[in-house]
Amino acid sequence: MNMSALVALAPRLERELLGSLQMLWLTVLIIVLCALVSSLLLLVWMYTVSSASWFFHCSVGFSGVLFAYTTIHCGLCADPIPLLRVTSVPPRIYPWVMLLVLQVIMPQVSFVGHLSGLIVGYLYMFGWLNNVMLGPSILNGIESSNVMGHVMNVSGYIANPNLGLPTHAAPLAATCSFANIAQFFRSHLSTDDPHAPASSSSSSSSSSSSSSSSAPSSDAELRAYLQDAEHLIADLCLLVAGDQAEWLDTSVTLSPAFGLDLIESMLRNSPQLFHDVPSLTGVLKDKICPLMIKSFKMGTTFPPIIRTLRTMTQIVLEFSDNLVAECEVFLSRLIRLLRVENPLWIHTAVVEVFSQLFKRPALIGRIYDTYDRDRHGDPSGQIFSSIVQTEALYIQKVFDQQTIETSVVNNGRILDMTHITSPPSLPVGYLVDVCMSSLSTLVASFSTLATSDNPRNRNAGAAMIASVWPSLLGALSCFLGNTVDATLMKSVLDSFAKLIEVCCVLSLDTPRDAFLTLISNTTLPAWHTIDQNAKDGGGKSSGTQAQSQQQKPLTEKNVLAVQSLLHIGRTMGDVLQGGWVLVLECCEKLDYLMRVKEHLSGGGSASSASNASGGSSGMKTSQSKGGLSTMGVSRITTEQAALLYSGLDAIFVSSDELSESGFFYLCSGLIRLSDAFISSPSALTHSGTEYWFALERLVQVVSLKVERLNVVWDALLEHLRAIGNHSVSTIRNLGVDAQAELITKAFAYHSEQTAVDTEAAAAEREQEEEAVAGSPLRISEPPLFHMQTRLLEALEDLSHSNFNDTRSKTLECMLNILQSSGQAFSKGWALVLSILMTVAVNNDAPHISLAFKSIHLICLDFLDNLPLDCLALFITTIGCYGMQSSDLNISLTATGLLQRVADFLIKDGEHIECSNTTLNGPAVVHHAMAGAGGGDAKTLHASAVPSKVGKADSLWLAIFREFEQLCADHRYEARNCAVRTMFKTLQVHKSQLKPGVWGELWDVILFPVLERVRTSAAAAANEEMDVELGKQGGRSVKLLVHHSRNNAQKQWNDTCTLALSGVVRLMISAYGAIFRALPSLDLVWKKLWKCAGTFAVSSSDEVSSRAIKLMEELFRATCREDTPEAAAEARAERGESEGSGESGASE
């Protein structure tokens, strides 16, 4: 271990600082001093702790000398030094860190011996050993002797470099200042040098152990120091170039490597001086920069080339804004070095230089603004683009020449290997790591620019990416396609992810899609096709076995690429925008791959994954194993399936955390993917498709954040409409199910939020001390309050579909919404009733029963929720269901519902009259009938509402208008039920109806009913009914009907007697209490007797005899009521009513 350290440390000290003879003398001196210092330390320790045990211990070895070498070596370094290939530490603390680390790793080594060597090294660095060192004259005398002549001819002997001895503050250290460097060299100038400044004489007479000069105390002294610095730098450049010094002693020589180290150290540690002092700026431009250009012509010797690159890098890093032309020349030379054939270490060093430049976002932005932005017509002059393009082409060239099986861990940079004199042997994998590190650094700088608060930086980043993204894509694609090492692969994918994020932030759609496409193509090697032959079930076992043999397993690269793409979707969803489509395509492939695994294994983890996917929404999905083709599909293991599915599902589960923009683009991507599916030939030909990834996930995403439904509703509705009209029934049903589920969940959410807001408002009102009793609750509108109409309009569109299954699912959805969220309806009742009315008006027999369930539910539970307009529409809708001819039982039940509505009007009549809503029933009914395709008869009938009656009275008339229509139904049972129910309703609620309503009822409802049934009875056929129920044994089986009702005329006659009986009994029961006070009693009386007389002369004995008997009953009853006292009272009431009516009219 000591020998390894000696080989690493001694050569540089011997070649660049001491020479062989001085190195030998220093080594002997360190050995002696280490023993003395060690003894001194132990002696102090003995008297301090009063223990002599350590003083009698001895230590042997060369490690003390090595620690002294290490201390001196650190004084020559400026960059951090690698420590145990794990980290790097600054050179000023490196010896102390190494002292502690070695003591921890190897506790048995001599701590005091190591510390002694470290102390001796500092004694040398600070010049305190100069009196015991061999001076220049002594060294030159010894080496010039005849004895040493033979020794100096030995290969490897290093002559005295004539650098002199160190002074205080370590002037040879890379951290020294200009004043220390000048002091060091001026102390060795000849006094008779004609070029020496006046201040040099005093320096030469000073002791070699004196301290460095203090800060200048006057302007003259400052100018003298600046002149010394200028002359010193100029002579350094001459010495590095191999010329003779002009200001220094002509006997001074300097190796080019050490001279370049000094120049680079000055530029690194004091760049501000070269910026602030014009004379030094001139020296940098006129002396150092030409030297750098000239140094490129020194061949390919390792030490000068490495130091030239280091110095050039420092100039570009610190002075690119001042030295525009010079930096352009430097960068062009670097580009040329990488383009032409050179040793591998030169290419590696150039890439490291580029990496150093890429670490500074501001620098690369300045390079682009200076050399690229205005040179679009001259590609050769675009420095930044050329750098990236050249590096990308070089990477492609490296991968074209050979396959990189493994990469080498980068333990250090070539640019930091200044302690060796010959180039190291580098494997190609080392270069690959360096190139990847350079690209990663560039991508990180792009990310810094993109996320900057300065718009100028963001614009510069966008412009740079737009100019170099093809080169980056080519370089990264080489890594992606040829790398098999997992660590390097992760680095490549991380760079892709950062580039995609930057492109998303800067709205660079084309490069974003290009990078995403490249990753997507790396994820899964094959896509699926639908096996049409497999879905029939024939040969399933043998076919599956043959297909599984052609499968290829997923590689680690595929898995890492899929994970990276899933991570992009999960973490960049808010900025991914149109890139969502490419991410979702990969998700669809992965999902299909898992279902193939289930198909082959018959269950397992893929099955659970699929269930988890489908369990997030209410859509009914079934994976048909016969419809999955495994031909050419890669095989996925159980471990891979579990790993990848967690990432796949996380994208959609966490979608509720996306911003509105991210949510919109995610849903838009799923819609686009779904559109592509329904347009594909497989969707058109494969009617057995029962699983739909895009639609399934679309429902899941929207359901997780249903309050954002309005963000994507327009695009979503257009897509679902297209699915709802698809020719394939399975696809159509899935689309309708999805739309119905989303609408149902939206209403359920609205209902929950309404309940929560109501409770919160009630609690807030209870807490208000100054609340006014009876004041209304302040309830905020839920997020989807304004979406009700749009959601129901979508259902209305579905209800007009030409497909029975679509209409059936629409009505099921409507029923579910009413059952779960009907109490939260506010704006959509008119649309609901329009949808339900459509079924009845069109006499849609397959769906009458389903639609009527919603009507029945509304009548039982939601009459209180119906607005006044919609209540009138609901009455008309019930009448439509009573008139439909598909289901007699529904007609009978609808007739009963009209009576229930009448009961509701009695209970809430006062509330209806006090409502601020204007009753516009006819307009609502007209709109609903137009949407339902109804006729004009109902519309005109509904529009004949008296303008002078109240709101509740108008609803009463609307109810009995529907009764009037039902009383003339062609079905015997339906019309008789309507007649009985109508007169029963009148009998029950007769006292609640106002005189004005009774007048309208007699004129518009009751007398027209009598006339219509009489006319229909006269026109009815007199033929015996022959209703065939079926056949049995080849003979017809007919319905047996009683002879009194075996033809239509007899049935209509029965309706006539029923209607006339109802009218007469109503007059008898209400004559004294109600009708006698009617202003129009005389006219009503005349019409009634006229109708009764008409019935009495009917051709039917049943009708005529019943009419005569009813006339007799009416006459007897009214005569009892018409006593003189009762008549006078009635006349008085009629007169009072007429008087009040006239006064009201006059008013």
Side-chain angles (χ1 to χ4, degrees), residues 214-232:
S214 60
S217 58
S218 63
D219 292 342
E221 190 174 358
L222 175 62
R223 285 193 295 272
Y225 273 102
L226 290 177
Q227 290 178 1
D228 289 349
E230 294 171 17
H231 291 303
L232 175 62

mmCIF file with all atom_site columns, all heavy atoms in Angstrom, residues 214-232:
data_model
loop_
_atom_site.group_PDB
_atom_site.id
_atom_site.type_symbol
_atom_site.label_atom_id
_atom_site.label_alt_id
_atom_site.label_comp_id
_atom_site.label_asym_id
_atom_site.label_entity_id
_atom_site.label_seq_id
_atom_site.pdbx_PDB_ins_code
_atom_site.Cartn_x
_atom_site.Cartn_y
_atom_site.Cartn_z
_atom_site.occupancy
_atom_site.B_iso_or_equiv
_atom_site.pdbx_formal_charge
_atom_site.auth_seq_id
_atom_site.auth_comp_id
_atom_site.auth_asym_id
_atom_site.auth_atom_id
_atom_site.pdbx_PDB_model_num
ATOM 1   N N   . SER A 1 214 ? 3.372  42.513 1.775   1.00 0.00 ? 214 SER A N   1
ATOM 2   C CA  . SER A 1 214 ? 2.067  42.943 2.273   1.00 0.00 ? 214 SER A CA  1
ATOM 3   C C   . SER A 1 214 ? 1.308  43.654 1.175   1.00 0.00 ? 214 SER A C   1
ATOM 4   O O   . SER A 1 214 ? 1.809  43.890 0.094   1.00 0.00 ? 214 SER A O   1
ATOM 5   C CB  . SER A 1 214 ? 2.257  43.861 3.484   1.00 0.00 ? 214 SER A CB  1
ATOM 6   O OG  . SER A 1 214 ? 3.014  45.000 3.108   1.00 0.00 ? 214 SER A OG  1
ATOM 7   N N   . ALA A 1 215 ? 0.067  44.026 1.462   1.00 0.00 ? 215 ALA A N   1
ATOM 8   C CA  . ALA A 1 215 ? -0.772 44.695 0.470   1.00 0.00 ? 215 ALA A CA  1
ATOM 9   C C   . ALA A 1 215 ? -0.192 46.047 0.128   1.00 0.00 ? 215 ALA A C   1
ATOM 10  O O   . ALA A 1 215 ? 0.409  46.714 0.978   1.00 0.00 ? 215 ALA A O   1
ATOM 11  C CB  . ALA A 1 215 ? -2.189 44.853 1.021   1.00 0.00 ? 215 ALA A CB  1
ATOM 12  N N   . PRO A 1 216 ? -0.307 46.492 -1.093  1.00 0.00 ? 216 PRO A N   1
ATOM 13  C CA  . PRO A 1 216 ? 0.240  47.792 -1.493  1.00 0.00 ? 216 PRO A CA  1
ATOM 14  C C   . PRO A 1 216 ? -0.422 48.918 -0.720  1.00 0.00 ? 216 PRO A C   1
ATOM 15  O O   . PRO A 1 216 ? -1.625 48.908 -0.503  1.00 0.00 ? 216 PRO A O   1
ATOM 16  C CB  . PRO A 1 216 ? -0.063 47.863 -2.987  1.00 0.00 ? 216 PRO A CB  1
ATOM 17  C CG  . PRO A 1 216 ? -1.193 46.924 -3.187  1.00 0.00 ? 216 PRO A CG  1
ATOM 18  C CD  . PRO A 1 216 ? -1.010 45.849 -2.203  1.00 0.00 ? 216 PRO A CD  1
ATOM 19  N N   . SER A 1 217 ? 0.440  49.876 -0.342  1.00 0.00 ? 217 SER A N   1
ATOM 20  C CA  . SER A 1 217 ? -0.056 50.986 0.474   1.00 0.00 ? 217 SER A CA  1
ATOM 21  C C   . SER A 1 217 ? -0.247 52.266 -0.315  1.00 0.00 ? 217 SER A C   1
ATOM 22  O O   . SER A 1 217 ? -0.722 53.257 0.216   1.00 0.00 ? 217 SER A O   1
ATOM 23  C CB  . SER A 1 217 ? 0.921  51.244 1.629   1.00 0.00 ? 217 SER A CB  1
ATOM 24  O OG  . SER A 1 217 ? 2.204  51.531 1.125   1.00 0.00 ? 217 SER A OG  1
ATOM 25  N N   . SER A 1 218 ? 0.128  52.308 -1.593  1.00 0.00 ? 218 SER A N   1
ATOM 26  C CA  . SER A 1 218 ? -0.034 53.526 -2.392  1.00 0.00 ? 218 SER A CA  1
ATOM 27  C C   . SER A 1 218 ? -0.305 53.136 -3.830  1.00 0.00 ? 218 SER A C   1
ATOM 28  O O   . SER A 1 218 ? -0.104 51.995 -4.233  1.00 0.00 ? 218 SER A O   1
ATOM 29  C CB  . SER A 1 218 ? 1.232  54.395 -2.298  1.00 0.00 ? 218 SER A CB  1
ATOM 30  O OG  . SER A 1 218 ? 2.331  53.702 -2.857  1.00 0.00 ? 218 SER A OG  1
ATOM 31  N N   . ASP A 1 219 ? -0.777 54.113 -4.613  1.00 0.00 ? 219 ASP A N   1
ATOM 32  C CA  . ASP A 1 219 ? -1.060 53.859 -6.028  1.00 0.00 ? 219 ASP A CA  1
ATOM 33  C C   . ASP A 1 219 ? 0.206  53.486 -6.777  1.00 0.00 ? 219 ASP A C   1
ATOM 34  O O   . ASP A 1 219 ? 0.187  52.651 -7.681  1.00 0.00 ? 219 ASP A O   1
ATOM 35  C CB  . ASP A 1 219 ? -1.690 55.106 -6.646  1.00 0.00 ? 219 ASP A CB  1
ATOM 36  C CG  . ASP A 1 219 ? -3.086 55.372 -6.099  1.00 0.00 ? 219 ASP A CG  1
ATOM 37  O OD1 . ASP A 1 219 ? -3.669 54.417 -5.526  1.00 0.00 ? 219 ASP A OD1 1
ATOM 38  O OD2 . ASP A 1 219 ? -3.593 56.491 -6.250  1.00 0.00 ? 219 ASP A OD2 1
ATOM 39  N N   . ALA A 1 220 ? 1.315  54.112 -6.428  1.00 0.00 ? 220 ALA A N   1
ATOM 40  C CA  . ALA A 1 220 ? 2.572  53.798 -7.111  1.00 0.00 ? 220 ALA A CA  1
ATOM 41  C C   . ALA A 1 220 ? 2.983  52.360 -6.857  1.00 0.00 ? 220 ALA A C   1
ATOM 42  O O   . ALA A 1 220 ? 3.426  51.632 -7.758  1.00 0.00 ? 220 ALA A O   1
ATOM 43  C CB  . ALA A 1 220 ? 3.670  54.762 -6.648  1.00 0.00 ? 220 ALA A CB  1
ATOM 44  N N   . GLU A 1 221 ? 2.837  51.952 -5.601  1.00 0.00 ? 221 GLU A N   1
ATOM 45  C CA  . GLU A 1 221 ? 3.186  50.571 -5.282  1.00 0.00 ? 221 GLU A CA  1
ATOM 46  C C   . GLU A 1 221 ? 2.244  49.599 -5.978  1.00 0.00 ? 221 GLU A C   1
ATOM 47  O O   . GLU A 1 221 ? 2.661  48.531 -6.434  1.00 0.00 ? 221 GLU A O   1
ATOM 48  C CB  . GLU A 1 221 ? 3.140  50.375 -3.770  1.00 0.00 ? 221 GLU A CB  1
ATOM 49  C CG  . GLU A 1 221 ? 3.706  49.040 -3.320  1.00 0.00 ? 221 GLU A CG  1
ATOM 50  C CD  . GLU A 1 221 ? 3.794  48.930 -1.810  1.00 0.00 ? 221 GLU A CD  1
ATOM 51  O OE1 . GLU A 1 221 ? 3.449  49.923 -1.124  1.00 0.00 ? 221 GLU A OE1 1
ATOM 52  O OE2 . GLU A 1 221 ? 4.191  47.851 -1.335  1.00 0.00 ? 221 GLU A OE2 1
ATOM 53  N N   . LEU A 1 222 ? 0.946  49.978 -6.086  1.00 0.00 ? 222 LEU A N   1
ATOM 54  C CA  . LEU A 1 222 ? -0.014 49.120 -6.786  1.00 0.00 ? 222 LEU A CA  1
ATOM 55  C C   . LEU A 1 222 ? 0.349  48.985 -8.256  1.00 0.00 ? 222 LEU A C   1
ATOM 56  O O   . LEU A 1 222 ? 0.318  47.886 -8.823  1.00 0.00 ? 222 LEU A O   1
ATOM 57  C CB  . LEU A 1 222 ? -1.426 49.695 -6.631  1.00 0.00 ? 222 LEU A CB  1
ATOM 58  C CG  . LEU A 1 222 ? -2.532 48.973 -7.395  1.00 0.00 ? 222 LEU A CG  1
ATOM 59  C CD1 . LEU A 1 222 ? -2.658 47.535 -6.912  1.00 0.00 ? 222 LEU A CD1 1
ATOM 60  C CD2 . LEU A 1 222 ? -3.867 49.692 -7.226  1.00 0.00 ? 222 LEU A CD2 1
ATOM 61  N N   . ARG A 1 223 ? 0.734  50.101 -8.875  1.00 0.00 ? 223 ARG A N   1
ATOM 62  C CA  . ARG A 1 223 ? 1.129  50.038 -10.278 1.00 0.00 ? 223 ARG A CA  1
ATOM 63  C C   . ARG A 1 223 ? 2.372  49.189 -10.451 1.00 0.00 ? 223 ARG A C   1
ATOM 64  O O   . ARG A 1 223 ? 2.525  48.454 -11.436 1.00 0.00 ? 223 ARG A O   1
ATOM 65  C CB  . ARG A 1 223 ? 1.369  51.455 -10.806 1.00 0.00 ? 223 ARG A CB  1
ATOM 66  C CG  . ARG A 1 223 ? 0.090  52.235 -11.061 1.00 0.00 ? 223 ARG A CG  1
ATOM 67  C CD  . ARG A 1 223 ? 0.392  53.485 -11.885 1.00 0.00 ? 223 ARG A CD  1
ATOM 68  N NE  . ARG A 1 223 ? 1.225  54.419 -11.152 1.00 0.00 ? 223 ARG A NE  1
ATOM 69  C CZ  . ARG A 1 223 ? 0.794  55.366 -10.337 1.00 0.00 ? 223 ARG A CZ  1
ATOM 70  N NH1 . ARG A 1 223 ? -0.517 55.505 -10.161 1.00 0.00 ? 223 ARG A NH1 1
ATOM 71  N NH2 . ARG A 1 223 ? 1.621  56.187 -9.714  1.00 0.00 ? 223 ARG A NH2 1
ATOM 72  N N   . ALA A 1 224 ? 3.253  49.252 -9.478  1.00 0.00 ? 224 ALA A N   1
ATOM 73  C CA  . ALA A 1 224 ? 4.449  48.413 -9.554  1.00 0.00 ? 224 ALA A CA  1
ATOM 74  C C   . ALA A 1 224 ? 4.095  46.936 -9.483  1.00 0.00 ? 224 ALA A C   1
ATOM 75  O O   . ALA A 1 224 ? 4.645  46.097 -10.222 1.00 0.00 ? 224 ALA A O   1
ATOM 76  C CB  . ALA A 1 224 ? 5.416  48.787 -8.420  1.00 0.00 ? 224 ALA A CB  1
ATOM 77  N N   . TYR A 1 225 ? 3.191  46.612 -8.611  1.00 0.00 ? 225 TYR A N   1
ATOM 78  C CA  . TYR A 1 225 ? 2.749  45.224 -8.509  1.00 0.00 ? 225 TYR A CA  1
ATOM 79  C C   . TYR A 1 225 ? 2.077  44.764 -9.802  1.00 0.00 ? 225 TYR A C   1
ATOM 80  O O   . TYR A 1 225 ? 2.297  43.650 -10.274 1.00 0.00 ? 225 TYR A O   1
ATOM 81  C CB  . TYR A 1 225 ? 1.781  45.060 -7.341  1.00 0.00 ? 225 TYR A CB  1
ATOM 82  C CG  . TYR A 1 225 ? 2.451  44.782 -6.036  1.00 0.00 ? 225 TYR A CG  1
ATOM 83  C CD1 . TYR A 1 225 ? 2.613  45.787 -5.086  1.00 0.00 ? 225 TYR A CD1 1
ATOM 84  C CD2 . TYR A 1 225 ? 2.935  43.516 -5.739  1.00 0.00 ? 225 TYR A CD2 1
ATOM 85  C CE1 . TYR A 1 225 ? 3.238  45.540 -3.875  1.00 0.00 ? 225 TYR A CE1 1
ATOM 86  C CE2 . TYR A 1 225 ? 3.558  43.248 -4.530  1.00 0.00 ? 225 TYR A CE2 1
ATOM 87  C CZ  . TYR A 1 225 ? 3.714  44.261 -3.601  1.00 0.00 ? 225 TYR A CZ  1
ATOM 88  O OH  . TYR A 1 225 ? 4.331  44.011 -2.414  1.00 0.00 ? 225 TYR A OH  1
ATOM 89  N N   . LEU A 1 226 ? 1.257  45.638 -10.392 1.00 0.00 ? 226 LEU A N   1
ATOM 90  C CA  . LEU A 1 226 ? 0.586  45.263 -11.645 1.00 0.00 ? 226 LEU A CA  1
ATOM 91  C C   . LEU A 1 226 ? 1.597  45.070 -12.764 1.00 0.00 ? 226 LEU A C   1
ATOM 92  O O   . LEU A 1 226 ? 1.463  44.153 -13.587 1.00 0.00 ? 226 LEU A O   1
ATOM 93  C CB  . LEU A 1 226 ? -0.436 46.342 -12.023 1.00 0.00 ? 226 LEU A CB  1
ATOM 94  C CG  . LEU A 1 226 ? -1.685 46.432 -11.133 1.00 0.00 ? 226 LEU A CG  1
ATOM 95  C CD1 . LEU A 1 226 ? -2.567 47.585 -11.580 1.00 0.00 ? 226 LEU A CD1 1
ATOM 96  C CD2 . LEU A 1 226 ? -2.460 45.124 -11.184 1.00 0.00 ? 226 LEU A CD2 1
ATOM 97  N N   . GLN A 1 227 ? 2.587  45.924 -12.805 1.00 0.00 ? 227 GLN A N   1
ATOM 98  C CA  . GLN A 1 227 ? 3.618  45.759 -13.834 1.00 0.00 ? 227 GLN A CA  1
ATOM 99  C C   . GLN A 1 227 ? 4.372  44.455 -13.631 1.00 0.00 ? 227 GLN A C   1
ATOM 100 O O   . GLN A 1 227 ? 4.665  43.732 -14.591 1.00 0.00 ? 227 GLN A O   1
ATOM 101 C CB  . GLN A 1 227 ? 4.594  46.944 -13.792 1.00 0.00 ? 227 GLN A CB  1
ATOM 102 C CG  . GLN A 1 227 ? 3.990  48.246 -14.267 1.00 0.00 ? 227 GLN A CG  1
ATOM 103 C CD  . GLN A 1 227 ? 4.972  49.406 -14.160 1.00 0.00 ? 227 GLN A CD  1
ATOM 104 O OE1 . GLN A 1 227 ? 6.137  49.232 -13.740 1.00 0.00 ? 227 GLN A OE1 1
ATOM 105 N NE2 . GLN A 1 227 ? 4.513  50.604 -14.511 1.00 0.00 ? 227 GLN A NE2 1
ATOM 106 N N   . ASP A 1 228 ? 4.665  44.135 -12.378 1.00 0.00 ? 228 ASP A N   1
ATOM 107 C CA  . ASP A 1 228 ? 5.333  42.861 -12.103 1.00 0.00 ? 228 ASP A CA  1
ATOM 108 C C   . ASP A 1 228 ? 4.464  41.693 -12.547 1.00 0.00 ? 228 ASP A C   1
ATOM 109 O O   . ASP A 1 228 ? 4.963  40.709 -13.129 1.00 0.00 ? 228 ASP A O   1
ATOM 110 C CB  . ASP A 1 228 ? 5.633  42.738 -10.615 1.00 0.00 ? 228 ASP A CB  1
ATOM 111 C CG  . ASP A 1 228 ? 6.736  43.695 -10.174 1.00 0.00 ? 228 ASP A CG  1
ATOM 112 O OD1 . ASP A 1 228 ? 7.379  44.276 -11.067 1.00 0.00 ? 228 ASP A OD1 1
ATOM 113 O OD2 . ASP A 1 228 ? 6.928  43.846 -8.956  1.00 0.00 ? 228 ASP A OD2 1
ATOM 114 N N   . ALA A 1 229 ? 3.169  41.778 -12.257 1.00 0.00 ? 229 ALA A N   1
ATOM 115 C CA  . ALA A 1 229 ? 2.275  40.691 -12.641 1.00 0.00 ? 229 ALA A CA  1
ATOM 116 C C   . ALA A 1 229 ? 2.211  40.543 -14.150 1.00 0.00 ? 229 ALA A C   1
ATOM 117 O O   . ALA A 1 229 ? 2.241  39.429 -14.687 1.00 0.00 ? 229 ALA A O   1
ATOM 118 C CB  . ALA A 1 229 ? 0.876  40.935 -12.066 1.00 0.00 ? 229 ALA A CB  1
ATOM 119 N N   . GLU A 1 230 ? 2.146  41.665 -14.862 1.00 0.00 ? 230 GLU A N   1
ATOM 120 C CA  . GLU A 1 230 ? 2.095  41.590 -16.323 1.00 0.00 ? 230 GLU A CA  1
ATOM 121 C C   . GLU A 1 230 ? 3.368  40.957 -16.879 1.00 0.00 ? 230 GLU A C   1
ATOM 122 O O   . GLU A 1 230 ? 3.318  40.081 -17.755 1.00 0.00 ? 230 GLU A O   1
ATOM 123 C CB  . GLU A 1 230 ? 1.914  43.001 -16.896 1.00 0.00 ? 230 GLU A CB  1
ATOM 124 C CG  . GLU A 1 230 ? 0.573  43.634 -16.547 1.00 0.00 ? 230 GLU A CG  1
ATOM 125 C CD  . GLU A 1 230 ? 0.525  45.097 -16.931 1.00 0.00 ? 230 GLU A CD  1
ATOM 126 O OE1 . GLU A 1 230 ? 1.380  45.513 -17.743 1.00 0.00 ? 230 GLU A OE1 1
ATOM 127 O OE2 . GLU A 1 230 ? -0.331 45.831 -16.395 1.00 0.00 ? 230 GLU A OE2 1
ATOM 128 N N   . HIS A 1 231 ? 4.537  41.433 -16.378 1.00 0.00 ? 231 HIS A N   1
ATOM 129 C CA  . HIS A 1 231 ? 5.794  40.871 -16.860 1.00 0.00 ? 231 HIS A CA  1
ATOM 130 C C   . HIS A 1 231 ? 5.904  39.391 -16.502 1.00 0.00 ? 231 HIS A C   1
ATOM 131 O O   . HIS A 1 231 ? 6.399  38.581 -17.295 1.00 0.00 ? 231 HIS A O   1
ATOM 132 C CB  . HIS A 1 231 ? 6.983  41.645 -16.264 1.00 0.00 ? 231 HIS A CB  1
ATOM 133 C CG  . HIS A 1 231 ? 7.103  43.033 -16.790 1.00 0.00 ? 231 HIS A CG  1
ATOM 134 N ND1 . HIS A 1 231 ? 7.217  43.332 -18.139 1.00 0.00 ? 231 HIS A ND1 1
ATOM 135 C CD2 . HIS A 1 231 ? 7.144  44.237 -16.131 1.00 0.00 ? 231 HIS A CD2 1
ATOM 136 C CE1 . HIS A 1 231 ? 7.305  44.632 -18.322 1.00 0.00 ? 231 HIS A CE1 1
ATOM 137 N NE2 . HIS A 1 231 ? 7.266  45.228 -17.119 1.00 0.00 ? 231 HIS A NE2 1
ATOM 138 N N   . LEU A 1 232 ? 5.448  39.043 -15.299 1.00 0.00 ? 232 LEU A N   1
ATOM 139 C CA  . LEU A 1 232 ? 5.540  37.658 -14.863 1.00 0.00 ? 232 LEU A CA  1
ATOM 140 C C   . LEU A 1 232 ? 4.712  36.742 -15.753 1.00 0.00 ? 232 LEU A C   1
ATOM 141 O O   . LEU A 1 232 ? 5.172  35.694 -16.197 1.00 0.00 ? 232 LEU A O   1
ATOM 142 C CB  . LEU A 1 232 ? 5.085  37.547 -13.405 1.00 0.00 ? 232 LEU A CB  1
ATOM 143 C CG  . LEU A 1 232 ? 4.997  36.141 -12.822 1.00 0.00 ? 232 LEU A CG  1
ATOM 144 C CD1 . LEU A 1 232 ? 6.366  35.491 -12.817 1.00 0.00 ? 232 LEU A CD1 1
ATOM 145 C CD2 . LEU A 1 232 ? 4.421  36.182 -11.420 1.00 0.00 ? 232 LEU A CD2 1
#
